Amino acid sequence: MSVRLGNGIGWRPEIADAVERMPGIDWVEVVAENVCPGHLPESLARLRGRGVTVVPHGVSLGLGGAERPDEGRLAALAERAAGLRSPLVTEHIAFVRAGGPLTASPRIEAGHLLPVPRTRDALDVLCENVRIAQDALPVPLAVENIAALISWPGEEMTEGQFLYELADRTGVRLLVDVANLHTNHVNRGEDPAKALAELPLEAIAYVHVAGGFERDGVWHDSHAHPVPEPVLDVLTDLASRVSPPGVLLERDENFPEAEEMERELGAIRRAVEKGAGRRDASPAAAVVGARPPSRQGPVDAARQRLALAQTAVLSALAAGTPVPEGFDRVRMGVQARALAAKRADVVAKVAPELPVILGEGYRPAFLAYAQTQPMGGGYRQDAMEFVEELLLARRPEDARVRRELREWWLERSGPAPRSSRPAVRLARATRRVLLRR
C-alpha cells in the first residue's frame, strides 16, 4: 500500500525560502547525495519540524549498471532515509558508470543517467540489483523511469513491459515521471498512453512532473523550463487510470519567481483533477498485462554481457571511441555533447575559480578536453585532471593565466599516498615537474 504523499515540490537551496512559504505543499524531495542527515539546512529542518515529509532521491547508485550496487552508496542512502524519517527512498532505472573489473578496463563515470537496454539480460541484472538495494534499505524503494536521447538496438520489450516485469519480480514500487514519458515519445517515438496501459498501476509510489524544451527534433529534459501542456496531458491520462499517491514538481535550475512555480503547481493539480473526473465517469479499465515471458538465467553471465555493452556505449559517448553497431550516430553525438556540457556546468560549480581564471576560454577548453577524456571519478577530480591536461599541454598561451592555473592546482593537489607501482610514482613525479615549469 502506497503512502499518500499529496502535493510536493523538489527542494533546492536556491528556492528554499520560497518553498517554505508556498501554500499547499505536503512534501518535498531532496537529492540524496546533496544532504547530510546530521547537518540539514535550516530551511529543510524547519519544514520537517512542521510535519512536511522529506523523501531522499538518489542519482548515483546506478541500479541499471552491470555491477552490483556499491555497499558504501547503499549505506549512505539508507542513512539518509533513516535520518530524514522518510517513508520511502527513490532512485533511477539507469546506468551511470561502466568499465571496471567485469571488463578489465578503467572505470568510466557518465556524470548523468543513461538508459539501460530493455533486454532480458538487463532485466535480470536490474532485478538482482534492486533486490540487493531493497535488503540494504530501511524503507521501501521506488525506482524511476528515465528520459533518453538514444535507443539501444535489439530491445526485446517495451518500456511498459520492462517496468511491469521489474515490479512483478521484485515488488519494487515505481516513481513514474510523466515528463520522461513525453521525452521518450518525442525522442524515441514511444506512445505514453501505451506505456501507462502496460504499467502495474498499483505499484506507483508517486509521480514526477518537469519541464524541458525541443531543439532540432530532440526533446531535452532540462528541469529548467516551464511544464508544457503535453506533459500535463500525460499526467491527466495517468490520473484517469489511477489516483497517484503523490505528485511532485521538479525544477533544478533557472528558477523562476515563487508565483510562477505556484502557478505551475496549480496547473498540475488541475491536470490531476481533470484525470480523476474522467476516471469517475468511466468504468475501470482492465490493466493490460502485456508481460513478456520470464527468464531465469545465470545472472553472472548476463552481468558480463551487459558490462561489455554498456562500456562500449559509454566509451563512445565520453572517450570518443567508435559508436557501437546499431546505434544512431547522430543521436549518439547529441548525447555525447549533452554529457560534456553537463560536466562543464558541474565542474564550473564545484571549482568556480576556473571560469574566473580562464574567462570565456573555460567552456571551449573543457568541452575539447571532455571529447576524449572520460570522467573516472567525481567532479572535483575531473576539475583537477582538466587543469593538468591544460598545463601539460602548456595551455592557455597566456603565461599569467597558466601561472594562476598552476597555483590553483598545487593548492588543491595536496600530498598523494605513495603508490606501490613504480610507473605511477614516476608519472606523478614527472607531472609535478612539468606543472612547475
Side-chain angles (χ1 to χ4, degrees), residues 292-409:
S294 288
R295 182 195 71 175
Q296 298 297 327
V299 177
D300 286 346
R303 286 189 186 279
Q304 186 78 50
R305 291 189 292 267
L306 185 63
L308 292 169
Q310 290 181 338
T311 301
V313 168
L314 186 48
S315 181
L317 292 173
T321 59
V323 173
E325 186 176 351
F327 282 87
D328 185 316
R329 293 177 182 275
V330 173
R331 284 295 174 87
M332 287 286 282
V334 173
Q335 180 70 82
R337 290 190 293 275
L339 290 181
K342 180 177 176 64
R343 281 173 68 186
D345 290 342
V346 178
V347 165
K349 291 179 181 179
V350 302
E353 305 86 1
L354 296 183
V356 174
I357 295 171
L358 292 168
E360 293 182 356
Y362 164 74
R363 194 168 186 84
F366 190 91
L367 294 178
Y369 154 81
Q371 286 180 357
T372 58
Q373 300 295 324
M375 186 164 64
Y379 285 106
R380 287 180 175 79
Q381 180 182 329
D382 204 22
M384 295 291 290
E385 292 177 355
F386 164 57
V387 173
E388 284 186 24
E389 287 290 322
L390 287 179
L391 293 173
L392 290 170
R394 299 190 65 76
R395 294 174 41 229
E397 293 183 2
D398 190 317
R400 179 189 58 80
V401 175
R402 283 207 308 277
R403 281 196 300 272
E404 287 189 53
L405 280 180
R406 187 181 301 114
E407 290 171 5
W408 181 91
W409 187 90

Side-chain angles (χ1 to χ4, degrees), residues 175-345:
L175 193 180
V176 177
D177 191 313
V178 293
N180 291 348
L181 291 177
H182 172 68
T183 300
N184 294 344
H185 171 62
V186 176
N187 293 349
R188 295 161 40 140
E190 297 172 353
D191 184 0
K194 185 175 188 294
L196 291 175
E198 292 176 339
L199 289 182
L201 299 178
E202 71 282 357
I204 294 177
Y206 62 88
V207 177
H208 270 176
V209 186
F213 66 94
E214 187 171 353
R215 180 187 294 154
D216 299 329
V218 175
W219 187 268
H220 297 268
D221 180 46
S222 67
H223 292 196
H225 294 77
V227 177
E229 282 299 321
V231 171
L232 293 174
D233 291 343
V234 180
L235 176 61
T236 295
D237 187 2
L238 184 150
S240 73
R241 302 167 187 269
V242 68
S243 175
V247 182
L248 181 127
L249 171 64
E250 284 190 294
R251 189 82 174 220
D252 292 335
E253 53 185 290
N254 190 26
F255 298 101
E257 295 297 322
E259 292 76 13
E260 183 176 335
M261 287 188 287
E262 289 175 20
R263 284 194 292 272
E264 285 199 276
L265 287 164
I268 288 169
R269 292 188 188 99
R270 289 190 294 275
V272 172
E273 291 166 0
K274 183 178 179 181
R278 294 179 183 175
R279 188 175 68 248
D280 294 340
S282 304
V287 174
V288 180
R291 175 181 169 183
S294 288
R295 182 195 71 175
Q296 298 297 327
V299 177
D300 286 346
R303 286 189 186 279
Q304 186 78 50
R305 291 189 292 267
L306 185 63
L308 292 169
Q310 290 181 338
T311 301
V313 168
L314 186 48
S315 181
L317 292 173
T321 59
V323 173
E325 186 176 351
F327 282 87
D328 185 316
R329 293 177 182 275
V330 173
R331 284 295 174 87
M332 287 286 282
V334 173
Q335 180 70 82
R337 290 190 293 275
L339 290 181
K342 180 177 176 64
R343 281 173 68 186
D345 290 342

